[in-house]
Amino acid sequence: MKSKMTNKSILQIAMQHSAWDTGAQLSDFSQTEHVYVDYKLCNKSRKYLKEPLCCNLVSYGNNIVAAVHDDNKQIVKEYLEKFEWYHCFETPNMNWLSEHLAPLGQKVCFMAEYFLPDLNKLKRLECGYELKVLRKEDFADLYTSQWSNALCKERAELDCLGVGAYDGEKLIGLAACSADGEQMWQIGLDVLPEYRRQGIASSLTSNLAVEILEHDKVPFYCCAWSNIRSAKNAIKAGFVPSWVEMTVKLADIVDGMNK
């Protein structure tokens, strides 16, 4: 790989982006005590983060940085003091938080685990099919349901680079990345059902990660904690769990997602 990045510098870049996403300082994520900051986005925050945002709990395994507002700060502080930090991201404890936020019209919304590449493990993996690097101009006809994890029609302007796997002329798998942050590009992935469990996913993920690094950007990968298949793919491709987040949104927004 041509990139001059190291595992340490990659982690620092990720923490800096988390700082931009919350209103915190980079150093806040390395403290041993919890840190509370006024929740605010900036022009360098991840592009898909939209107001209104009520609360975001972020941890790189050292502490929790809690991005809060005046109305919920005391509830969140009581929550973080009540439970061990790692229990703050799981049931049944998060039910306590949601119940105490209910009078404010707020609910726990998303929980996710984020992965960063380990440069000691990352390498281009083969899968037995032809791989091609794809550019933005190659995506025009690919905004369909079968590639909806790799590409996002609503933010098509951010889709910037991909790797496709081909069986002859047929596209059978696609990993693509979105320029969601100033220095970080997020990987999304789809493989046609009949071609799964052949190592295509990890091959696409690893090859795209290397391509991103060669563009001097940091690849990152996100999945729900329960998505074992996706998490295993990240690890096989040379990524490691790096940070977790849990967000709180207005109850109306959460309820709307469940309709």
Side-chain angles (χ1 to χ4, degrees), residues 119-133:
L119 299 184
N120 297 315
K121 298 178 179 178
L122 179 66
K123 62 180 180 180
R124 293 182 184 270
L125 299 177
E126 300 297 329
C127 64
Y129 292 95
E130 181 183 7
L131 301 182
K132 296 180 182 178
V133 176

PDB file of all heavy atoms in Angstrom, residues 119-133:
ATOM      1  N   LEU A 119      -3.660  -2.243   9.779  1.00  0.00           N
ATOM      2  CA  LEU A 119      -2.690  -2.319   8.690  1.00  0.00           C
ATOM      3  C   LEU A 119      -1.783  -3.531   8.792  1.00  0.00           C
ATOM      4  O   LEU A 119      -1.118  -3.897   7.816  1.00  0.00           O
ATOM      5  CB  LEU A 119      -1.865  -1.034   8.634  1.00  0.00           C
ATOM      6  CG  LEU A 119      -2.670   0.249   8.385  1.00  0.00           C
ATOM      7  CD1 LEU A 119      -1.737   1.447   8.254  1.00  0.00           C
ATOM      8  CD2 LEU A 119      -3.549   0.125   7.151  1.00  0.00           C
ATOM      9  N   ASN A 120      -1.749  -4.170   9.961  1.00  0.00           N
ATOM     10  CA  ASN A 120      -0.973  -5.403  10.111  1.00  0.00           C
ATOM     11  C   ASN A 120      -1.715  -6.618   9.557  1.00  0.00           C
ATOM     12  O   ASN A 120      -1.121  -7.676   9.361  1.00  0.00           O
ATOM     13  CB  ASN A 120      -0.637  -5.639  11.587  1.00  0.00           C
ATOM     14  CG  ASN A 120       0.232  -4.546  12.160  1.00  0.00           C
ATOM     15  OD1 ASN A 120       1.196  -4.121  11.535  1.00  0.00           O
ATOM     16  ND2 ASN A 120      -0.113  -4.081  13.348  1.00  0.00           N
ATOM     17  N   LYS A 121      -3.006  -6.448   9.315  1.00  0.00           N
ATOM     18  CA  LYS A 121      -3.831  -7.556   8.839  1.00  0.00           C
ATOM     19  C   LYS A 121      -4.403  -7.314   7.438  1.00  0.00           C
ATOM     20  O   LYS A 121      -4.703  -8.265   6.719  1.00  0.00           O
ATOM     21  CB  LYS A 121      -4.982  -7.804   9.813  1.00  0.00           C
ATOM     22  CG  LYS A 121      -4.540  -8.196  11.208  1.00  0.00           C
ATOM     23  CD  LYS A 121      -5.739  -8.372  12.136  1.00  0.00           C
ATOM     24  CE  LYS A 121      -5.304  -8.777  13.528  1.00  0.00           C
ATOM     25  NZ  LYS A 121      -6.454  -8.918  14.461  1.00  0.00           N
ATOM     26  N   LEU A 122      -4.589  -6.060   7.090  1.00  0.00           N
ATOM     27  CA  LEU A 122      -5.243  -5.741   5.824  1.00  0.00           C
ATOM     28  C   LEU A 122      -4.374  -6.102   4.631  1.00  0.00           C
ATOM     29  O   LEU A 122      -3.198  -5.725   4.567  1.00  0.00           O
ATOM     30  CB  LEU A 122      -5.577  -4.238   5.774  1.00  0.00           C
ATOM     31  CG  LEU A 122      -6.242  -3.745   4.491  1.00  0.00           C
ATOM     32  CD1 LEU A 122      -7.620  -4.347   4.319  1.00  0.00           C
ATOM     33  CD2 LEU A 122      -6.300  -2.215   4.492  1.00  0.00           C
ATOM     34  N   LYS A 123      -4.954  -6.812   3.687  1.00  0.00           N
ATOM     35  CA  LYS A 123      -4.299  -7.112   2.418  1.00  0.00           C
ATOM     36  C   LYS A 123      -5.380  -7.412   1.397  1.00  0.00           C
ATOM     37  O   LYS A 123      -6.541  -7.690   1.741  1.00  0.00           O
ATOM     38  CB  LYS A 123      -3.352  -8.306   2.556  1.00  0.00           C
ATOM     39  CG  LYS A 123      -4.036  -9.604   2.944  1.00  0.00           C
ATOM     40  CD  LYS A 123      -3.029 -10.740   3.058  1.00  0.00           C
ATOM     41  CE  LYS A 123      -3.734 -12.047   3.445  1.00  0.00           C
ATOM     42  NZ  LYS A 123      -2.764 -13.173   3.564  1.00  0.00           N
ATOM     43  N   ARG A 124      -5.029  -7.335   0.132  1.00  0.00           N
ATOM     44  CA  ARG A 124      -5.992  -7.626  -0.926  1.00  0.00           C
ATOM     45  C   ARG A 124      -6.286  -9.130  -0.946  1.00  0.00           C
ATOM     46  O   ARG A 124      -5.388  -9.938  -1.158  1.00  0.00           O
ATOM     47  CB  ARG A 124      -5.445  -7.184  -2.283  1.00  0.00           C
ATOM     48  CG  ARG A 124      -5.284  -5.670  -2.435  1.00  0.00           C
ATOM     49  CD  ARG A 124      -4.781  -5.342  -3.839  1.00  0.00           C
ATOM     50  NE  ARG A 124      -4.525  -3.928  -4.028  1.00  0.00           N
ATOM     51  CZ  ARG A 124      -5.420  -3.043  -4.471  1.00  0.00           C
ATOM     52  NH1 ARG A 124      -6.652  -3.466  -4.743  1.00  0.00           N
ATOM     53  NH2 ARG A 124      -5.108  -1.774  -4.645  1.00  0.00           N
ATOM     54  N   LEU A 125      -7.540  -9.480  -0.717  1.00  0.00           N
ATOM     55  CA  LEU A 125      -7.951 -10.879  -0.745  1.00  0.00           C
ATOM     56  C   LEU A 125      -8.546 -11.226  -2.105  1.00  0.00           C
ATOM     57  O   LEU A 125      -9.259 -10.413  -2.712  1.00  0.00           O
ATOM     58  CB  LEU A 125      -8.985 -11.145   0.355  1.00  0.00           C
ATOM     59  CG  LEU A 125      -8.527 -10.891   1.793  1.00  0.00           C
ATOM     60  CD1 LEU A 125      -9.681 -11.138   2.757  1.00  0.00           C
ATOM     61  CD2 LEU A 125      -7.327 -11.757   2.159  1.00  0.00           C
ATOM     62  N   GLU A 126      -8.259 -12.419  -2.589  1.00  0.00           N
ATOM     63  CA  GLU A 126      -8.804 -12.892  -3.861  1.00  0.00           C
ATOM     64  C   GLU A 126     -10.076 -13.695  -3.607  1.00  0.00           C
ATOM     65  O   GLU A 126     -10.308 -14.216  -2.513  1.00  0.00           O
ATOM     66  CB  GLU A 126      -7.769 -13.760  -4.582  1.00  0.00           C
ATOM     67  CG  GLU A 126      -6.458 -13.039  -4.895  1.00  0.00           C
ATOM     68  CD  GLU A 126      -6.650 -11.865  -5.846  1.00  0.00           C
ATOM     69  OE1 GLU A 126      -7.587 -11.943  -6.692  1.00  0.00           O
ATOM     70  OE2 GLU A 126      -5.896 -10.894  -5.741  1.00  0.00           O
ATOM     71  N   CYS A 127     -10.900 -13.813  -4.646  1.00  0.00           N
ATOM     72  CA  CYS A 127     -12.144 -14.565  -4.487  1.00  0.00           C
ATOM     73  C   CYS A 127     -12.439 -15.500  -5.661  1.00  0.00           C
ATOM     74  O   CYS A 127     -13.461 -16.182  -5.674  1.00  0.00           O
ATOM     75  CB  CYS A 127     -13.316 -13.616  -4.300  1.00  0.00           C
ATOM     76  SG  CYS A 127     -13.660 -12.555  -5.724  1.00  0.00           S
ATOM     77  N   GLY A 128     -11.559 -15.522  -6.672  1.00  0.00           N
ATOM     78  CA  GLY A 128     -11.795 -16.396  -7.810  1.00  0.00           C
ATOM     79  C   GLY A 128     -12.602 -15.760  -8.928  1.00  0.00           C
ATOM     80  O   GLY A 128     -12.847 -16.389  -9.966  1.00  0.00           O
ATOM     81  N   TYR A 129     -13.043 -14.508  -8.720  1.00  0.00           N
ATOM     82  CA  TYR A 129     -13.766 -13.774  -9.762  1.00  0.00           C
ATOM     83  C   TYR A 129     -12.978 -12.515 -10.116  1.00  0.00           C
ATOM     84  O   TYR A 129     -12.163 -12.028  -9.318  1.00  0.00           O
ATOM     85  CB  TYR A 129     -15.171 -13.378  -9.277  1.00  0.00           C
ATOM     86  CG  TYR A 129     -16.096 -14.549  -9.085  1.00  0.00           C
ATOM     87  CD1 TYR A 129     -16.243 -15.142  -7.829  1.00  0.00           C
ATOM     88  CD2 TYR A 129     -16.823 -15.087 -10.146  1.00  0.00           C
ATOM     89  CE1 TYR A 129     -17.093 -16.226  -7.640  1.00  0.00           C
ATOM     90  CE2 TYR A 129     -17.671 -16.166  -9.978  1.00  0.00           C
ATOM     91  CZ  TYR A 129     -17.803 -16.728  -8.723  1.00  0.00           C
ATOM     92  OH  TYR A 129     -18.637 -17.800  -8.541  1.00  0.00           O
ATOM     93  N   GLU A 130     -13.227 -11.993 -11.290  1.00  0.00           N
ATOM     94  CA  GLU A 130     -12.533 -10.786 -11.736  1.00  0.00           C
ATOM     95  C   GLU A 130     -13.004  -9.583 -10.924  1.00  0.00           C
ATOM     96  O   GLU A 130     -14.207  -9.400 -10.702  1.00  0.00           O
ATOM     97  CB  GLU A 130     -12.799 -10.530 -13.215  1.00  0.00           C
ATOM     98  CG  GLU A 130     -12.065  -9.295 -13.745  1.00  0.00           C
ATOM     99  CD  GLU A 130     -12.392  -8.985 -15.197  1.00  0.00           C
ATOM    100  OE1 GLU A 130     -13.294  -9.655 -15.755  1.00  0.00           O
ATOM    101  OE2 GLU A 130     -11.750  -8.072 -15.761  1.00  0.00           O
ATOM    102  N   LEU A 131     -12.065  -8.787 -10.476  1.00  0.00           N
ATOM    103  CA  LEU A 131     -12.371  -7.572  -9.731  1.00  0.00           C
ATOM    104  C   LEU A 131     -12.011  -6.356 -10.574  1.00  0.00           C
ATOM    105  O   LEU A 131     -10.967  -6.329 -11.230  1.00  0.00           O
ATOM    106  CB  LEU A 131     -11.590  -7.528  -8.418  1.00  0.00           C
ATOM    107  CG  LEU A 131     -11.804  -8.673  -7.431  1.00  0.00           C
ATOM    108  CD1 LEU A 131     -10.986  -8.433  -6.161  1.00  0.00           C
ATOM    109  CD2 LEU A 131     -13.268  -8.852  -7.087  1.00  0.00           C
ATOM    110  N   LYS A 132     -12.878  -5.356 -10.540  1.00  0.00           N
ATOM    111  CA  LYS A 132     -12.636  -4.119 -11.277  1.00  0.00           C
ATOM    112  C   LYS A 132     -12.862  -2.929 -10.358  1.00  0.00           C
ATOM    113  O   LYS A 132     -13.829  -2.899  -9.594  1.00  0.00           O
ATOM    114  CB  LYS A 132     -13.585  -4.002 -12.475  1.00  0.00           C
ATOM    115  CG  LYS A 132     -13.418  -5.070 -13.539  1.00  0.00           C
ATOM    116  CD  LYS A 132     -14.415  -4.849 -14.672  1.00  0.00           C
ATOM    117  CE  LYS A 132     -14.324  -5.926 -15.733  1.00  0.00           C
ATOM    118  NZ  LYS A 132     -15.333  -5.731 -16.816  1.00  0.00           N
ATOM    119  N   VAL A 133     -11.959  -1.947 -10.443  1.00  0.00           N
ATOM    120  CA  VAL A 133     -12.141  -0.695  -9.717  1.00  0.00           C
ATOM    121  C   VAL A 133     -13.135   0.164 -10.479  1.00  0.00           C
ATOM    122  O   VAL A 133     -13.013   0.341 -11.700  1.00  0.00           O
ATOM    123  CB  VAL A 133     -10.802   0.044  -9.545  1.00  0.00           C
ATOM    124  CG1 VAL A 133     -11.027   1.398  -8.875  1.00  0.00           C
ATOM    125  CG2 VAL A 133      -9.831  -0.796  -8.725  1.00  0.00           C
TER     126      VAL A 133
END
